[in-house]
Amino acid sequence: MPTRKRLLALLLTFAAAGTNAHADNTLKDAILSGRPLADLRLRYESVDLATKPAEAEAVTLRARLGYQIGQFAGFSVLGEFDFVQHLGPQHFNDSINGLANYPTIADPDMAALNRLQLDYRTKLLGSGSDPDFKISLGRQMIAFGDGRYIGNAEWRQHEQTFDALMLTETPSPSLTVAYAYVTRVNRVFGPDSPAGHYDSNGHLLNAVGVGSIAATEAVISDIERLLSPEQEAVGRPEHSDPNPFLVLWSLLRDRKSTRLNSSH
């Protein structure tokens, strides 16, 4: 059976189970019980580089507006847009305005879709009564750890998002495992920039549990040594594209080394 048909069959099975469990709820109730999403951020940034003849200053306002529908048969929908507008003189290179005499402050004016995702929650492996398994499909925010390598670059006005299918299982409060298949990365530069997105065929795997801090630090150290000096100096996801399998391989290698060392 093709992969898409298997995925559709899986979703329909979950939907049928969810409908039986929540027959007393209606779609109208889910819509009316949803919550509006609103976030306003006024931002000032200045950049002075010796390699540029002028100093950059930017005052920008972001309005992030959306709506999240409540639970219906285990499903929920979230839609959200970003509206970014500079205020006052545009004395900065926003990455698409051509003002190359100024340093780059990558917050161009835009109206862009930020997130549009379908979520499904159900009980799978957990011992409690709350749902422990989640499927997220669509344009979504993904951040592993502190988000340095796989994250949303939230210091910019328009965050980085991923077009992906993500599976998350939390069998216990001390363990969360997540897998994501990513088809596209929507970058901070916005839809009008040639660098605003790139197509992907990436697989991401992340596991967080008790005692994982040392292993995570070792992974970051390994990757930093593999980055070029330019990438290491920048240290931002929009400037470097680490291989997610390298992260997993480093983590497994570190754990194996830890077990060998502890046996002596």
Side-chain angles (χ1 to χ4, degrees):
M1 182 183 296
T3 302
R4 290 184 179 178
K5 291 185 177 179
R6 290 178 180 175
L7 178 59
L8 179 59
L10 180 64
L11 290 175
L12 290 176
T13 301
F14 287 151
T19 302
N20 293 333
H22 301 276
D24 55 332
N25 293 334
T26 66
L27 180 59
K28 180 179 179 181
D29 293 335
I31 295 174
L32 295 178
S33 66
R35 62 187 183 96
L37 306 173
D39 179 78
L40 300 178
R41 185 167 76 172
L42 180 66
R43 190 171 191 271
Y44 169 78
E45 182 177 351
S46 66
V47 180
D48 188 8
L49 295 178
T51 56
K52 295 292 183 178
E55 178 180 354
E57 290 187 314
V59 178
T60 56
L61 177 65
R62 181 196 71 198
R64 180 169 291 164
L65 306 174
Y67 193 79
Q68 183 173 17
I69 295 175
Q71 293 283 325
F72 174 69
F75 289 91
S76 64
V77 177
L78 183 153
E80 183 179 70
F81 286 84
D82 274 354
F83 302 91
V84 181
Q85 178 64 46
H86 75 279
L87 305 177
Q90 198 171 29
H91 293 161
F92 65 100
N93 179 4
D94 68 3
S95 76
I96 61 174
N97 61 7
L99 300 180
N101 287 337
Y102 294 98
T104 298
I105 299 177
D107 290 324
D109 296 346
M110 72 177 79
L113 176 67
N114 191 50
R115 292 187 292 168
L116 181 60
Q117 66 187 77
L118 172 68
D119 295 334
Y120 178 76
R121 293 175 173 85
T122 189
K123 182 174 171 52
L124 188 64
L125 299 177
S127 58
S129 58
D130 295 333
D132 58 277
F133 181 65
K134 177 183 176 183
I135 300 176
S136 297
L137 179 65
R139 184 160 299 182
Q140 56 192 285
M141 188 272 284
I142 300 176
F144 291 159
D146 62 2
R148 178 168 183 177
Y149 296 103
I150 304 297
N152 60 331
E154 61 183 348
W155 56 88
R156 298 259 58 99
Q157 293 286 50
H158 179 55
E159 68 180 349
Q160 179 170 269
T161 58
F162 301 81
D163 293 353
L165 169 67
M166 185 166 179
L167 312 178
T168 305
E169 168 62 26
T170 307
S172 71
S174 61
L175 177 63
T176 298
V177 180
Y179 163 78
Y181 173 65
V182 179
T183 60
R184 174 169 164 156
V185 180
N186 308 287
R187 307 174 83 190
V188 299
F189 307 104
D192 296 330
S193 171
H197 73 273
Y198 66 84
D199 294 329
S200 173
N201 185 27
H203 301 266
L204 308 180
L205 181 63
N206 186 54
V208 178
V210 174
S212 63
I213 296 178
T216 302
E217 290 177 348
V219 172
I220 292 175
S221 177
D222 285 343
I223 294 177
E224 285 179 338
R225 286 196 294 268
L226 292 171
L227 292 176
S228 67
E230 292 79 9
Q231 290 174 320
E232 193 171 27
V234 173
R236 295 291 189 243
E238 67 263 34
H239 293 287
S240 59
D241 305 319
N243 187 334
F245 286 112
L246 175 63
V247 179
L248 176 61
W249 175 80
S250 299
L251 178 58
L252 295 175
R253 185 187 64 178
D254 177 77
R255 288 181 175 176
K256 180 178 179 181
S257 175
T258 301
R259 286 196 299 270
L260 290 175
N261 292 336
S262 62
S263 64
H264 294 291

